[in-house]
Amino acid sequence: MSDKQNAKQEKPFHSGFVALVGRPNVGKSTLLNACYGGKIAITSNVAQTTRRRMRAVVNTSNSQLVIVDTPGLHKPKDALGKELNKAALTELADVDVAAFLIDATKPVGRGDEWVASHVAASKAPYKLLVITKADLATQDQVKSQLEAGMALAKFDDSVVVSSTENFNVDTFLDIVSEHLPVGPKWFPDDMDVDMTDEDLVAEFIREKVLTNLRQEVPHSVGVICDSLEWKKDGHVSISATIVVEREGQKGIVIGRGGSMIKKIGIEARRDVQKLLDAKCYLDLRVQVRPQWRRDQNEISRMGLKVEE
């Protein structure tokens, strides 16, 4: 067979940007991790776990997907909430595929309608409805959610997934890949995420605060990675600050005799060592900054302010 015939038979290469949008806790970060094939975005059962927009690069044999995990869209109660909504809606403005996620286990409500209206108004050429957490729902629930979701806006297609069971994750990637523009890779093969190591470390620490403290302080917590230094022997020395809004919260994070902050540090260090593929020394401190979520300067200092 000639080179020309081979070239004709080769599939064109597709590349582009995919935004995962939906209400808080519908499984956006879990789906991103499943697509990526490893842990890169933090997850928890606490709503609004995702605060930073994250772009993860997923390469297949004939495509490169830049998947954008966005904060859950919600009714904001403070300046931070407004910034999180702005981050999610900003991503919708310039993507090739808008993937709207709905939890299979929870009835579609006004919040979903509001998010769907923004998806419908976006300029994304392809809009995909994604029903998540299929492993936790009955077939009737899934069918009902598909019908309810398709009634919210005009979607080009739909797919049902379970990210934890890896059900239809490849199908999701195949559907999205087919509808990305034909073009070259946006990023080199060795780039997997557009966040710095410092930002990822801060997020992994915050995840451990959320999972260990549940409803006691979750929305009041922020984390800043103050320093990350590679030492000559190959280990990494990290210093980070956990920020809370009240003295009582500081006591909860530290725990009796320092037991809680020690537990948070041990669990965070495991994930950070996998991320950096190196042994880590992790120094954590807790600081009170009253009402930091209402302060634009503090939000900016946390790296959570959306650039215009």
Side-chain angles (χ1 to χ4, degrees):
M1 186 178 290
S2 69
D3 290 340
K4 282 187 177 181
Q5 287 174 314
N6 273 324
K8 285 182 179 179
Q9 289 191 357
E10 288 180 3
K11 290 185 178 180
F13 193 86
H14 295 257
S15 61
F17 293 77
V18 184
L20 306 181
V21 296
R23 295 173 65 191
N25 211 25
V26 295
K28 297 181 293 295
S29 297
T30 308
L31 178 57
L32 176 68
N33 287 337
C35 292
Y36 175 76
K39 181 171 182 174
I40 200 70
I42 70 169
T43 61
S44 84
N45 290 326
V46 178
Q48 299 164 39
T49 296
T50 300
R51 284 179 176 169
R52 301 174 189 267
R53 180 229 66 194
M54 173 186 286
R55 290 175 176 171
V57 181
V58 177
N59 292 297
T60 71
S61 58
N62 61 350
S63 67
Q64 183 181 76
L65 301 83
V66 184
I67 303 179
V68 188
D69 183 19
T70 65
L73 286 160
H74 63 290
K75 185 177 181 180
K77 296 180 180 179
D78 48 41
L80 175 60
K82 291 177 182 177
E83 287 297 318
L84 299 185
N85 276 358
K86 189 190 297 184
L89 295 176
T90 298
E91 289 304 322
L92 268 178
D94 191 26
V95 292
D96 303 293
V97 175
F100 174 48
L101 277 61
I102 291 179
D103 186 334
T105 68
K106 296 179 180 178
V108 170
R110 293 177 64 182
D112 295 297
E113 293 175 7
W114 183 72
V115 179
S117 70
H118 286 284
V119 173
S122 77
K123 295 180 180 179
Y126 190 80
K127 298 177 175 71
L128 178 66
L129 173 65
V130 183
I131 306 299
T132 63
K133 306 183 185 182
D135 56 304
L136 303 178
T138 65
Q139 288 186 350
D140 286 342
Q141 280 180 302
V142 170
K143 182 181 178 181
S144 176
Q145 292 298 78
L146 276 170
E147 292 174 354
M150 292 299 283
L152 293 177
K154 185 178 179 181
F155 292 100
D156 297 288
D157 202 352
S158 63
V159 63
V160 177
V161 304
S162 167
S163 302
T164 56
E165 299 296 322
N166 203 31
F167 171 70
N168 270 353
V169 173
D170 286 342
T171 301
F172 169 79
L173 290 172
D174 288 342
I175 292 172
V176 171
S177 296
E178 289 175 6
H179 293 90
L180 292 177
V182 174
K185 291 183 178 180
W186 286 91
F187 299 102
D189 289 338
D190 59 354
M191 180 176 175
D192 50 14
V193 66
D194 70 344
M195 290 175 69
T196 65
D197 288 342
E198 287 84 355
D199 285 343
L200 287 169
V201 166
E203 287 294 273
F204 282 4
I205 295 168
R206 188 167 65 87
E207 178 189 52
K208 302 312 174 187
V209 176
L210 298 183
T211 54
N212 280 290
L213 298 181
R214 302 296 179 182
Q215 297 300 319
E216 289 146 308
V217 294
H219 300 305
S220 301
V221 170
V223 179
I224 300 172
C225 181
D226 301 304
S227 64
L228 188 154
E229 185 179 355
W230 289 85
K231 300 297 185 178
K232 290 182 179 179
D233 63 0
H235 87 274
V236 185
S237 180
I238 298 169
S239 176
T241 301
I242 299 172
V243 178
V244 294
E245 293 185 316
R246 300 192 298 272
E247 285 292 337
Q249 293 170 341
K250 179 178 180 179
I252 292 172
V253 173
I254 293 173
R256 183 174 296 179
S259 58
M260 179 53 68
I261 197 167
K262 180 179 179 181
K263 186 171 189 283
I264 290 167
I266 290 171
E267 293 180 5
R269 188 168 62 246
R270 289 177 188 148
D271 282 351
V272 172
Q273 287 183 158
K274 289 179 182 177
L275 171 73
L276 302 178
D277 194 22
K279 289 186 176 180
C280 296
Y281 171 76
L282 180 58
D283 176 42
L284 296 179
R285 66 193 71 185
V286 186
Q287 189 176 94
V288 178
R289 297 184 187 175
Q291 296 189 325
W292 71 264
R293 290 176 295 167
R294 300 180 183 276
D295 188 328
Q296 288 290 351
N297 290 328
E298 289 290 350
I299 292 169
S300 181
R301 192 174 291 117
M302 291 275 185
L304 300 174
K305 187 170 179 59
V306 178
E307 297 299 328
E308 298 293 345

